[in-house]
Amino acid sequence: MTNILIVDDDINIVKLVDIHLSEHGYNVFQAKDGMEALEILKKAACDLAIVDVMMPFMDGYTLTKEIRKQYDIPVILLTAKSEIEDKEQGFQAGTDDYLVKPFEPKELTFRMKALLRRYDHQPDEAILQIGNTTINKKSYEVQVEKRTLILPLKEFELLSYLISNPKLVFSREHLIEQIWGLDYEGDARTVDVHIKRLRERFSNLTDDFQIKTVRGVGYLLEVHRK
């Protein structure tokens, strides 16, 4: 799982970024200033840092320089300023990218992914993780904390697909095409049967996620943040 450090004294920005990134499968560490961020970096292997410029005790430029001295991870600076002098100072400090507030969380994600590819810190696509639930698409195993489950193939593929696309609503027909294939000639209600089995298997094992019915449309997987 990819670890992201967000450093900002604005709690609203921190919460916004945390919610968005967690929903997309990232593990987020929070710090309210540069000193706290450096302490987190000593203890946790972070893959990327998102750093606000204006903070107490240690500003974002100074923190970026410290990160550059000690760690080989990409840094994205957040700032309310868009003047060229401020950007120049940020890049001189060693930042990899610059994002001006207010920003769209999606744009932040796009920039993060580009930097993680450049630094080769992309997560293994064969491993999916939500909370304490891990899906290994190579071994076809599902691990919930210390318990390992081997699911029937179509249940495994269905769960993997839903977890890969959280909060998106899919019709039965769409799921049939994705999991069973375009040449499937059986009853579309087989999706309902498999969803029911997945709910029965995991409802008492974990509250990391829940498969919900959207009446008249289909199903979605909702991630439960701790």
Side-chain angles (χ1 to χ4, degrees):
M1 199 171 191
T2 304
N3 294 326
I4 306 297
L5 173 63
I6 171 70
V7 192
D8 199 319
D9 60 334
D10 185 336
I11 189 63
N12 294 317
I13 294 292
V14 171
K15 286 183 177 178
L16 173 68
V17 173
D18 190 341
I19 290 171
H20 181 76
L21 296 186
S22 297
E23 288 176 348
H24 284 76
Y26 294 98
N27 187 42
V28 181
F29 292 89
Q30 301 179 10
K32 61 182 178 295
D33 57 58
M35 302 301 292
E36 186 177 356
L38 291 175
E39 287 301 313
I40 290 174
L41 286 168
K42 289 178 182 178
K43 301 173 183 176
C46 293
D47 299 292
L48 181 145
I50 302 166
V51 177
D52 183 42
V53 169
M54 301 300 294
M55 296 184 295
F57 308 117
M58 179 186 294
D59 65 28
Y61 301 130
T62 304
L63 175 58
T64 299
K65 290 178 182 177
E66 290 300 314
I67 291 175
R68 277 287 161 266
K69 291 177 184 177
Q70 303 178 52
Y71 306 98
D72 181 29
I73 62 172
V75 177
I76 298 176
L77 275 177
L78 302 179
T79 180
K81 300 178 180 180
S82 59
E83 286 79 4
I84 190 65
E85 292 80 8
D86 296 301
K87 291 184 178 181
E88 181 181 13
Q89 187 175 354
F91 285 116
Q92 286 177 345
T95 188
D96 295 276
D97 205 350
Y98 212 100
L99 203 54
V100 177
K101 298 177 183 178
F103 58 87
E104 286 288 336
K106 281 186 177 180
E107 182 179 359
L108 174 62
T109 306
F110 297 153
R111 292 173 181 266
M112 282 174 44
K113 288 181 177 179
L115 288 173
L116 288 168
R117 283 195 298 270
R118 192 185 307 168
Y119 277 73
D120 197 27
H121 289 172
Q122 280 289 81
D124 187 347
E125 293 183 357
I127 304 296
L128 302 174
Q129 184 163 0
I130 293 180
N132 293 318
T133 302
T134 303
I135 293 181
N136 189 320
K137 295 166 75 173
K138 289 182 179 178
S139 65
Y140 292 90
E141 294 178 341
V142 180
Q143 186 168 343
V144 181
E145 295 184 346
K146 296 182 179 180
R147 181 170 178 178
T148 300
L149 295 87
I150 305 296
L151 305 183
L153 180 59
K154 292 306 178 186
E155 285 185 39
F156 179 87
E157 291 179 345
L158 180 58
L159 180 62
S160 297
Y161 187 76
L162 292 173
I163 283 184
S164 297
N165 299 278
K167 298 189 74 176
L168 295 180
V169 181
F170 297 110
S171 66
R172 292 184 183 89
E173 292 75 17
H174 178 86
L175 292 173
I176 286 287
E177 290 181 9
Q178 294 296 318
I179 308 303
W180 282 266
L182 291 170
D183 57 348
Y184 177 75
E185 297 180 353
D187 190 344
R189 293 288 174 177
T190 190
V191 174
D192 301 343
V193 174
H194 283 72
I195 292 289
K196 181 181 179 181
R197 289 174 181 166
L198 287 173
R199 285 170 170 164
E200 290 173 348
R201 290 183 192 279
F202 291 97
S203 61
N204 294 324
L205 281 181
T206 179
D207 58 359
D208 289 333
F209 63 88
Q210 182 180 7
I211 301 174
K212 291 192 171 183
T213 302
V214 180
R215 191 179 298 275
V217 183
Y219 298 99
L220 69 81
L221 184 138
E222 184 175 88
V223 177
H224 291 166
R225 300 179 65 253
K226 303 295 173 111

